[in-house]
Amino acid sequence: MVVQGVEPGTTLLQFLRSKGKTGSKLCCEEGGCGACTVQLSRWDKEKQILVHKGVNACISPFHVVDGHNVVTVEGIGNVESLHPIQEEIALNHGSQCGFCTPGIVMALHSYLAANPNATKHDIEHSMDGNLCRCTGYRPILDAAKQFGKESEDCAGGARRSCGGRTPDFPEFLKDFESQPIEINGKSSSWYRPTSLKHLLELKDKYPQGKIVVGSTEVSIEMKFKNYDYPVLMNPLAIPQMTAIKTEKDGISVGAAASLTSVVDYFKNEMKRRPDWQTRTLHALVDQIRWFAGPQIKNVACIGGNIATASPISDINPVLIAMGAKLTVNSIKYGERQLRLTQELFPSYRKLALQPEEVIVSVFVPFSSELEYVRAYKQSRRREDDIAIVSAAFRVSLEKREHNYIIKDACLSYGGMDAVTKEARKTSQYLLGKPWNNETLLKVNQYLADDLPLAPDAVGGMVAYRKTLSTSFWHKFSLFVSQSLGQPVPDRVDKMDVIPERSLSRGIQTHYPEHSPTPVGSSMPHVSALKQVTGEAIYIDDMPANDTHYGHFVMSTKANAKIVKVNPEKALKMEGVVAFISAKDIPGHNEIGFVYKGEELFASSQVHGVGFPIGLIVATSHRLAEKAALAVEVEYAVEPHILTIREAIQKSSFFQTFSPPLIERGQNPEAVFPKCEHVLEGEMEIGGQEHFYLEPHTSHVVPGED
């Protein structure tokens, strides 16, 4: 297919849905739910094999798929001819509302295409990038595990026809050669250089141009932070940027190589080398394991993780601790090598490179025999979550008589400052000391100096984060001591062991097992086949011919009077149709059904951030979003109450109803004075919104009445 006229910044999902391929669903738009998963396949000329991967189409730039075969849920089967994966999920009750189901089907399909000998355990972990709010996952996993190589139905020669079947790859794509691309759109340009020289020339010409690989950060910035990137450059056609090769003292990883390819390569090296030599590889593989779901790891790259300079990065502390080196290049400054240290991150989200410089590769050194490296991470959930604190440690020892002396050490942390932080006072203290309890017990004192956190530090949980910083070191010290054969207390000898998630299992029993009527029978619901094939139609799948799009202009202040609203800039934008506010509503502007006084559009006062002030109407959704931000609102800010604690202090309570009480037994006010001990305390629970999916929407067609 030859496609023309697609604007830079367009995602693969936007393109697919514009062409009627609505099986891939639009949901989170940040690569978090997997409902948009599609399969990309390409021919690897060097290895002479097909390479398959599942990706999140909602963040994948459309122009990246040049030379790939894109397989959507519609392409593997339909209700008349189901793919085995679709059939198993339907028969095992793996869909309810069905909105996430096409993405789950394609996540499993792409994984099995890439890993035809996957075990049940492998398959279960491959589903980490998909969310489902209805089923509880058990029926989905029951269906998916039918395709594990242990299953009788998928044994031997039947394996390919079972779960790994994929549409035929177009023969002409085997001859595809990447060519330089330049696409100039209305607001941005897209470049695909095919040589490092070309990329450096582009970076020299456009120093502020953004290099995009997986777009796992850029797409989110453009969507949710409203960033504009006039120049986008994609380096995936440059061999040096994606190559991974073993050298004498370590492994050179192209900055644009995907995390999945890095892990696969490292695991192969770990199999053929002694364990002591690959401790650095182990540390990085272990940390990437918790990084994200497969769809993200299939496109995210190690260079992007460095360049985003996140203070809670999972990977940067590991690279710093192991002593990794960067190769950067530019026309203006030439090629140079840098060791990764905290100086590379001078301030929040900033990188100490010149705007013209490009990260070309990262060198990961092998470890020596008495060198120990380990990485740690604590988050709210183990998989696919940002870190509260991450850390990586390295110590290099030498044997002197009966002691092991520390000749080098590096302790690196994420989540303990606005940048990735090294505990340098601690490292300096350790140098030349023997590895024993006396030395190790003093480390916490130095860590407290290295990692101070103010009581009001961004991210909160100050005491917890400080505790994590020391407990991670304690785990590491136990790991090293055990590796050296030194005794450790029995109660903590397993402290450093990362628990493996065992294969899930569950049982659902239906009574009676064989019912002559639908009541009591185990029957797939009537929509299941359409849901697993992407043929079920949801609101956003319906054609929107001659339809305009609206986007709210919302308050940015918590409590304020509206002084002035000026939509002129927005109305001058091509494609913007109208701005509607309170003064444009005929009749009542009030929408409160129970408690009167709540307005649809604020007429003079806003009562919270996000309160609707008006509505921009435009010819496209994206344009409406952008135009809404162009509406200028002038406020007179008034005092506000943002927390329960503030409300209690200021006696700000709802007076319209009696507070709900749960009473049982005697009156506590009468009982407490008689108690020998009365324990008092308080607990704070933050708000938790569920994960919104598209079935929350409705479609309204105005009629004559």
Side-chain angles (χ1 to χ4, degrees):
M1 175 186 289
V2 177
V3 178
Q4 296 179 336
V6 180
E7 283 285 313
T10 302
T11 66
L12 176 57
L13 184 64
Q14 290 168 352
F15 174 80
L16 290 172
R17 293 182 64 81
S18 73
K19 299 301 179 182
K21 300 299 181 184
T22 57
S24 306
K25 302 305 179 188
L26 174 65
C27 186
C28 71
E29 289 193 270
E30 59 183 35
C33 71
C36 63
T37 302
V38 299
Q39 177 179 310
L40 299 185
S41 302
R42 66 175 179 85
W43 180 252
D44 187 322
K45 287 189 174 182
E46 182 180 345
K47 298 179 180 178
Q48 290 291 293
I49 59 171
L50 276 174
V51 178
H52 308 284
K53 63 182 179 183
V55 303
N56 292 306
C58 71
I59 59 174
S60 295
F62 168 74
H63 298 93
V64 166
V65 305
D66 186 33
H68 289 75
N69 188 39
V70 181
V71 182
T72 68
V73 69
E74 295 97 333
I76 66 170
N78 53 54
V79 292
E80 301 297 330
S81 178
L82 292 171
H83 187 282
I85 291 174
Q86 295 169 324
E87 184 176 18
E88 285 295 334
I89 290 178
L91 295 179
N92 279 275
H93 315 285
S95 72
Q96 286 186 32
C97 85
F99 193 74
C100 66
T101 307
I104 288 171
V105 168
M106 290 311 300
L108 181 56
H109 184 278
S110 58
Y111 183 76
L112 290 173
N115 302 275
N117 294 311
T119 65
K120 291 183 178 182
H121 192 268
D122 295 333
I123 289 170
E124 189 162 295
H125 277 280
S126 77
M127 307 303 291
D128 286 347
N130 291 79
L131 296 179
C132 174
R133 294 197 310 111
C134 302
T135 65
Y137 297 104
R138 182 196 58 78
I140 296 172
L141 295 177
D142 283 350
K145 286 181 289 191
Q146 299 300 314
F147 301 100
K149 68 178 184 180
E150 310 97 317
S151 297
E152 293 181 5
D153 293 341
C154 287
R159 178 70 190 141
R160 289 298 300 172
S161 62
C162 189
R165 190 182 74 190
T166 191
D168 292 337
F169 186 80
E171 285 296 320
F172 74 90
L173 283 179
K174 291 184 178 181
D175 298 321
F176 175 80
E177 294 284 351
S178 294
Q179 300 295 327
I181 290 178
E182 177 180 344
I183 300 172
N184 296 307
K186 294 179 181 178
S187 59
S188 63
S189 298
W190 175 275
Y191 295 91
R192 184 185 67 189
T194 55
S195 69
L196 182 59
K197 180 176 180 293
H198 187 190
L199 177 62
L200 298 183
E201 289 171 349
L202 288 170
K203 250 309 196 174
D204 194 62
K205 184 177 181 180
Y206 306 109
Q208 302 305 320
K210 196 74 171 178
I211 295 178
V212 179
V213 178
S215 200
T216 56
E217 182 85 7
V218 170
S219 287
I220 294 171
E221 289 175 337
M222 294 171 68
K223 164 64 182 175
F224 296 104
K225 298 180 181 179
N226 302 298
Y227 287 8
D228 284 323
Y229 292 115
V231 177
L232 300 168
M233 312 170 197
N234 177 253
L236 285 172
I238 301 172
Q240 301 99 306
M241 298 286 286
T242 57
I244 307 175
K245 57 183 179 180
T246 302
E247 299 179 0
K248 179 182 177 182
D249 299 320
I251 299 175
S252 176
V253 178
S258 72
L259 295 182
T260 297
S261 64
V262 171
V263 168
D264 290 343
Y265 192 96
F266 280 16
K267 284 183 175 180
N268 286 331
E269 285 292 315
M270 286 153 56
K271 288 177 183 177
R272 67 186 194 88
R273 292 180 180 273
D275 181 67
W276 60 262
Q277 196 176 29
T278 60
R279 290 177 186 136
T280 50
L281 311 188
H282 269 285
L284 200 54
V285 168
D286 286 345
Q287 201 74 329
I288 292 175
R289 175 183 178 183
W290 315 116
F291 180 83
Q295 294 95 318
I296 294 294
K297 288 186 280 194
N298 285 341
V299 296
C301 63
I302 200 164
N305 272 269
I306 296 169
T308 54
S310 171
I312 50 174
S313 168
D314 295 342
I315 293 177
N316 290 343
V318 189
L319 296 174
I320 288 176
M322 69 170 61
K325 295 178 181 178
L326 288 185
T327 296
V328 300
N329 206 337
S330 67
I331 290 177
K332 191 172 183 179
Y333 303 99
E335 182 179 283
R336 59 193 185 111
Q337 287 195 334
L338 308 169
R339 178 163 175 161
L340 263 79
T341 65
Q342 69 178 29
E343 279 73 28
L344 188 64
F345 310 103
S347 59
Y348 178 73
R349 293 278 186 172
K350 298 295 183 183
L351 203 62
L353 297 180
Q354 298 301 322
E356 298 87 352
E357 289 186 304
V358 173
I359 301 173
V360 178
S361 63
V362 181
F363 181 76
V364 176
F366 292 131
S367 47
S368 59
E369 193 162 358
L370 286 177
E371 188 174 30
Y372 297 91
V373 186
R374 202 78 157 180
Y376 301 90
K377 173 184 175 179
Q378 181 65 50
S379 52
R380 289 172 177 81
R381 62 180 183 185
R382 186 174 293 278
E383 285 102 350
D384 311 347
D385 200 2
I386 59 174
I388 298 170
V389 175
S390 61
F393 309 115
R394 177 183 58 85
V395 294
S396 182
L397 309 174
E398 64 177 346
K399 185 75 178 290
R400 293 183 191 172
E401 297 180 352
H402 302 296
N403 290 322
Y404 290 96
I405 306 300
I406 304 169
K407 65 177 184 178
D408 195 17
C410 183
L411 293 76
S412 181
Y413 286 89
M416 296 300 292
D417 203 343
V419 296
T420 302
K421 184 83 170 178
E422 292 181 57
R424 287 184 169 172
K425 293 179 183 177
T426 308
S427 298
Q428 188 63 36
Y429 156 74
L430 289 169
L431 294 183
K433 301 288 194 306
W435 185 271
N436 57 30
N437 287 337
E438 183 180 351
T439 298
L440 300 177
L441 286 173
K442 294 181 181 179
V443 166
N444 288 357
Q445 302 172 22
Y446 289 89
L447 283 176
D449 289 338
D450 274 321
L451 305 170
L453 277 178
D456 60 347
V458 175
M461 298 186 287
V462 170
Y464 182 49
R465 287 155 68 188
K466 286 183 176 181
T467 302
L468 286 173
S469 69
T470 55
S471 67
F472 285 161
W473 167 258
H474 185 54
K475 287 184 176 183
F476 177 70
S477 65
L478 289 171
F479 158 68
V480 175
S481 295
Q482 287 178 299
S483 300
L484 295 173
Q486 295 179 349
V488 297
D490 291 340
R491 67 182 184 277
V492 296
D493 64 347
K494 301 294 184 184
M495 183 179 287
D496 190 57
V497 175
I498 299 173
E500 284 289 338
R501 190 176 79 195
S502 59
L503 193 66
S504 67
R505 61 189 181 92
I507 297 174
Q508 182 177 7
T509 304
H510 300 274
Y511 298 102
E513 292 187 11
H514 302 288
S515 173
T517 66
V519 177
S521 297
S522 175
M523 300 174 63
H525 65 80
V526 293
S527 300
L529 297 186
K530 286 190 174 182
Q531 289 170 348
V532 297
T533 59
E535 295 174 71
I537 301 299
Y538 296 83
I539 300 299
D540 199 35
D541 301 334
M542 298 177 180
N545 299 325
D546 300 321
T547 300
H548 290 323
Y549 296 80
H551 197 276
F552 285 111
V553 175
M554 294 180 285
S555 169
T556 59
K557 307 299 179 184
N559 185 33
K561 291 188 181 299
I562 298 175
V563 177
K564 183 181 180 181
V565 179
N566 182 5
E568 288 185 13
K569 287 184 180 179
L571 292 173
K572 289 179 180 178
M573 298 170 69
E574 183 181 354
V576 174
V577 177
F579 172 69
I580 301 170
S581 63
K583 65 181 181 181
D584 299 306
I585 297 178
H588 298 289
N589 182 34
E590 189 175 284
I591 59 172
F593 291 105
V594 179
Y595 304 110
K596 303 299 181 181
E598 183 179 355
E599 294 181 313
L600 174 61
F601 295 129
S603 57
S604 60
Q605 183 98 14
V606 292
H607 301 288
V609 173
F611 200 97
I613 295 172
L615 184 76
I616 281 287
V617 181
T619 54
S620 75
H621 180 205
R622 299 296 177 191
L623 177 59
E625 283 184 316
K626 191 171 184 178
L629 294 171
V631 175
E632 298 174 348
V633 182
E634 184 180 340
Y635 303 92
V637 178
E638 298 186 343
H640 49 254
I641 297 172
L642 301 181
T643 67
I644 294 293
R645 196 177 295 278
E646 287 179 317
I648 294 172
Q649 290 173 349
K650 297 180 181 180
S651 299
S652 178
F653 305 108
F654 283 111
Q655 302 297 331
T656 54
F657 59 88
S658 299
L661 296 175
I662 300 176
E663 295 181 309
R664 182 178 180 182
Q666 301 179 51
N667 185 342
E669 298 301 329
V671 173
F672 280 152
K674 302 176 183 178
C675 296
E676 183 176 354
H677 301 287
V678 177
L679 304 179
E680 296 184 10
E682 61 182 44
M683 179 178 67
E684 294 187 16
I685 302 175
Q688 176 66 61
E689 293 189 75
H690 65 191
F691 202 98
Y692 291 96
L693 291 179
E694 201 261 7
H696 283 80
T697 61
S698 60
H699 185 59
V700 180
V701 180
E704 293 183 3
D705 297 330

